[in-house]
Amino acid sequence: MAEFSDKPMTPPSEQYYGFFPGRYTTAYLESYVDEHIYAGQTIRDRIRFNSTVKSVVKIPDSNIADGAHWEITCSNDSNGNDNRTIQTSKLIDATGMTSQPHIPHLEGSHLFKGKTLHHKTFGQEQAWLLDDPSIQNICIIGGAKSAADVAYACAKSPLQRKIHWVIREDGNGPSAFFAAPAMTKRYRNSNEGFYNRFLASFLPNRFGNRWGWLKWLLQGTGLGRWYTKRLWDGFEEGLRGFHDYQREEGKEMGFANLEYDTPIFWQNDSSGVCNHPDFLTTIAKNVHVHRRNISHLSNDSITLQPRSRGSPKEDKPLTIPVDVLVYSTGWSAKTTLFPPHEAYSLGLPVPLHDANPEAQSYWQDLENAADPIILSQFPTLKHPPAYRKIEPRDIPFRLYKAIAPPADETHSIVFLGKMVVGNNFRTAEAQALWAVAYLDGRIHDLPTRAQMEKEVAETVAWDRRRYLNKGELGSWFYFDVVDYADALLEQLKLSSHRQKGFIGNLVEPCFAADLTSIGDEYKRKYCFPGNEHRSS
């Protein structure tokens, strides 16, 4: 599943239930950009490296049909000098959600003399970090899978050192880690067992219509919801049993602090896969896990606040020596490319204080009207579990299909990857094809702007109900990869990705190979009108 349809990946020899280290994906992408040649140039030839985009603005232009063009200012070298301006009538922003590291403000951070890094660069820096004998104390901040991967890598180092993993008490909590094996022998691993249309039917989402009858049966009827709850309850029980948070070998290290807060169905804690056979055991034996808020940093240490709901030994501040501090604290969703007013009009997150009050009132009315619609469609969402509500500081994404700004009625700009999903390869292909069709004016049944805005408001309202804190930005579709990609291709009226028969299309995993013919089908339908059977 970590590949594109037009270039199968050679399976790496280093695997665990089909999961493999990220360096193989890096090598795959490197070869991908070299092997794809268009008009005599590879994709690599077309990339301007060491160039930073500084700003993007829309400039009125009476010489083109749309009445305006986009002007991109970027640097021409790695030092940010020698600015260059590019003008275009169509713009694709593919910066995604993982371009800007989020580094939280910690009191006393200016005093800290140790080494700091974000997990974004851990792969590049881990060699010196893990091999330097002078580094005796490593502290990792964050609760998601990236923090777990860093903790595991540090714990596997042959050098003896103390590793501390800090997850703040007032956040969403630690991730839930799936087992790598699938629950049934039909699937090679848990990813395959999850990314198929049958299991997708047990998810209360609004994407696509192809299997609407099954979704209605499982989500819209009392019997279906009872059966769905039984399935998820069984999954929950199995997952907590798999982790064995109270295991003896982890008691002194605080392994129980890794127990996630809300049921896995709600995905309020993020998640990942235990992609090593000794993943949990290694962390339980070698990593000190703390569930506390951070008080401050000092010259060579970090001090944690007392825990509000902990054991007696956690009712006092704790100071930990630190040589290296790793921020596994995720990413900032806010753009730095567009001015705040432009970002807001394009449907991108900006701080609440930068929002246009009149426009914000309009959107609030739409979202308030959408909420009862969502609850009537998916009654399960009326009853979320108890969780720690975190008040949002930014407005959500407001993009039609998570791609297009409703306010851009000239169809001159799209955004790719502005969402969080469990598998980015499939959504990347579906989004790219949909975006090209949108920019080229080939989606003939697009709704009006008002209809788009209504759908966007319903998606935001759904996301908040479905994924709780994670859904506040309107971009968290973690479990919904299959239905979301299907919905995009469905709107393009494409079907070549469904060639396995009724049962196969329902229960077989959705592999990249399923999309192999989708580009040719698109060209026959839209590039050669009236000649759908022509081969390319």
Side-chain angles (χ1 to χ4, degrees):
M1 290 184 174
E3 61 186 358
F4 294 119
S5 63
D6 59 349
K7 178 178 167 55
M9 174 189 268
T10 302
S13 57
E14 188 180 355
Q15 288 193 44
Y16 176 63
Y17 286 96
F19 298 102
F20 45 83
R23 63 178 177 275
Y24 292 102
T25 302
T26 300
Y28 170 82
L29 294 174
E30 291 276 0
S31 64
Y32 189 95
V33 299
D34 289 329
E35 294 175 11
H36 284 70
I37 303 172
Y38 305 95
Q41 286 188 305
T42 66
I43 293 178
R44 188 185 296 273
D45 294 334
R46 298 164 183 267
I47 300 173
R48 184 178 295 276
F49 293 100
N50 298 318
S51 182
T52 301
V53 176
K54 295 185 173 181
S55 66
V56 181
V57 294
K58 196 168 189 178
I59 306 296
D61 188 343
S62 59
N63 294 320
I64 63 175
D66 292 341
H69 68 257
W70 294 97
E71 188 169 279
I72 303 103
T73 301
C74 55
S75 63
N76 251 356
D77 59 42
S78 57
N79 296 320
N81 301 319
D82 190 20
N83 287 348
R84 178 173 185 260
T85 299
I86 301 170
Q87 295 180 350
T88 181
S89 60
K90 303 287 185 181
L91 180 62
I92 299 175
D93 179 332
T95 53
M97 298 287 278
T98 55
S99 290
Q100 299 177 70
H102 169 63
I103 305 292
H105 171 73
L106 299 181
E107 189 71 31
S109 58
H110 64 289
L111 302 173
F112 183 64
K113 303 301 182 184
K115 172 73 174 178
T116 63
L117 65 146
H118 187 267
H119 69 85
K120 175 182 180 179
T121 61
F122 180 76
Q124 298 167 306
E125 302 192 55
Q126 66 175 337
W128 69 261
L129 173 62
L130 301 184
D131 296 340
D132 186 346
S134 69
I135 296 174
Q136 295 295 308
N137 301 285
I138 300 173
C139 181
I140 303 146
I141 300 173
K145 181 57 162 57
S146 61
D149 285 339
V150 172
Y152 176 82
C154 292
K156 293 294 286 185
S157 169
L159 298 179
Q160 295 296 313
R161 58 201 6 148
K162 288 189 176 180
I163 304 163
H164 293 268
W165 180 1
V166 178
I167 303 168
R168 67 188 179 106
E169 190 177 10
D170 61 357
N172 290 319
S175 290
F177 303 120
F178 295 99
M183 292 183 290
T184 68
K185 294 183 178 180
R186 170 182 283 275
Y187 305 113
R188 184 175 53 154
N189 55 46
S190 54
N191 262 8
E192 291 185 9
F194 204 88
Y195 294 127
N196 60 78
R197 295 182 181 91
F198 178 69
L199 194 57
S201 300
F202 290 86
L203 301 171
N205 67 46
R206 310 180 65 253
F207 304 122
N209 298 310
R210 180 74 178 221
W211 303 101
W213 61 271
L214 185 55
K215 186 83 70 177
W216 170 82
L217 180 65
L218 293 172
Q219 303 297 332
T221 68
L223 180 62
R225 291 194 297 276
W226 172 82
Y227 183 72
T228 298
K229 186 177 184 303
R230 285 200 60 184
L231 180 141
W232 280 99
D233 285 350
F235 188 36
E236 178 79 15
E237 182 180 356
L239 194 60
R240 291 186 185 271
F242 164 73
H243 283 85
D244 187 15
Y245 292 108
Q246 303 300 326
R247 63 180 67 192
E248 191 66 33
E249 63 187 356
K251 285 187 176 179
E252 291 300 314
M253 306 298 281
F255 184 75
N257 288 325
L258 285 180
E259 185 162 11
Y260 55 95
D261 292 349
T262 51
I264 189 64
F265 169 83
W266 298 92
Q267 245 293 302
N268 191 43
D269 314 300
S270 188
S271 66
V273 174
C274 292
N275 46 1
H276 300 280
D278 63 342
F279 188 84
L280 295 175
T281 299
T282 297
I283 290 176
K285 291 181 176 180
N286 300 285
V287 179
H288 298 270
V289 182
H290 309 276
R291 188 76 192 275
R292 300 190 187 203
N293 291 333
I294 296 171
S295 173
H296 62 273
L297 289 171
S298 58
N299 183 52
D300 57 1
S301 65
I302 186 171
T303 298
L304 308 181
Q305 297 177 11
R307 188 171 180 181
S308 63
R309 296 177 299 166
S311 63
K313 68 178 182 180
E314 294 177 305
D315 63 1
K316 296 180 180 179
L318 175 67
T319 298
I320 302 168
V322 179
D323 299 315
V324 176
L325 183 63
V326 183
Y327 289 96
S328 290
T329 46
W331 311 89
S332 172
K334 293 190 289 292
T335 181
T336 60
L337 306 183
F338 302 87
H341 71 279
E342 188 80 72
Y344 182 81
S345 68
L346 291 171
L348 303 179
V350 298
L352 285 169
H353 59 73
D354 285 336
N356 179 296
E358 184 178 344
Q360 190 65 0
S361 177
Y362 168 77
W363 279 105
Q364 193 63 57
D365 288 344
L366 283 179
E367 290 160 15
N368 288 341
D371 193 57
I373 296 174
I374 298 304
L375 295 181
S376 67
Q377 291 176 337
F378 305 110
T380 298
L381 304 185
K382 294 179 181 179
H383 309 290
Y387 72 103
R388 184 181 292 103
K389 173 73 172 175
I390 300 175
E391 291 301 322
R393 298 179 179 179
D394 306 310
I395 68 159
F397 283 95
R398 289 170 175 148
L399 298 170
Y400 176 66
K401 304 300 184 188
I403 300 175
D408 177 37
E409 298 185 73
T410 60
H411 299 180
S412 64
I413 186 170
V414 292
F415 297 88
L416 302 183
K418 295 295 187 184
M419 58 192 298
V420 178
V421 292
N423 184 295
N424 286 291
F425 280 87
R426 189 175 188 85
T427 54
E429 288 207 54
Q431 279 200 327
L433 196 59
W434 191 96
V436 168
Y438 174 85
L439 292 174
D440 285 346
R442 287 176 170 152
I443 306 179
H444 303 304
D445 59 350
L446 279 174
T448 65
R449 174 176 174 174
Q451 291 169 330
M452 283 188 184
E453 290 173 341
K454 180 176 181 292
E455 181 175 323
V456 167
E458 290 177 356
T459 299
V460 170
W462 162 79
D463 212 4
R464 287 171 174 161
R465 288 285 186 174
R466 174 66 183 91
Y467 292 116
L468 310 179
N469 287 329
K470 291 292 189 182
E472 284 291 341
L473 272 181
S475 60
W476 195 270
F477 305 165
Y478 199 89
F479 286 149
D480 307 294
V481 172
V482 173
D483 283 342
Y484 174 75
D486 276 357
L488 295 182
L489 299 178
E490 184 179 287
Q491 190 172 20
L492 297 180
K493 298 178 172 53
L494 301 177
S495 60
S496 61
H497 58 301
R498 299 173 178 272
Q499 301 297 322
K500 300 176 182 177
F502 179 82
I503 298 298
N505 287 334
L506 186 62
V507 302
E508 291 300 316
C510 293
F511 291 121
D514 299 342
L515 303 177
T516 299
S517 301
I518 208 78
D520 287 342
E521 183 188 7
Y522 175 86
K523 286 184 283 187
R524 288 194 300 270
K525 184 176 290 291
Y526 295 104
C527 302
F528 310 119
N531 199 8
E532 284 79 5
H533 301 290
R534 175 174 172 173
S535 60
S536 59

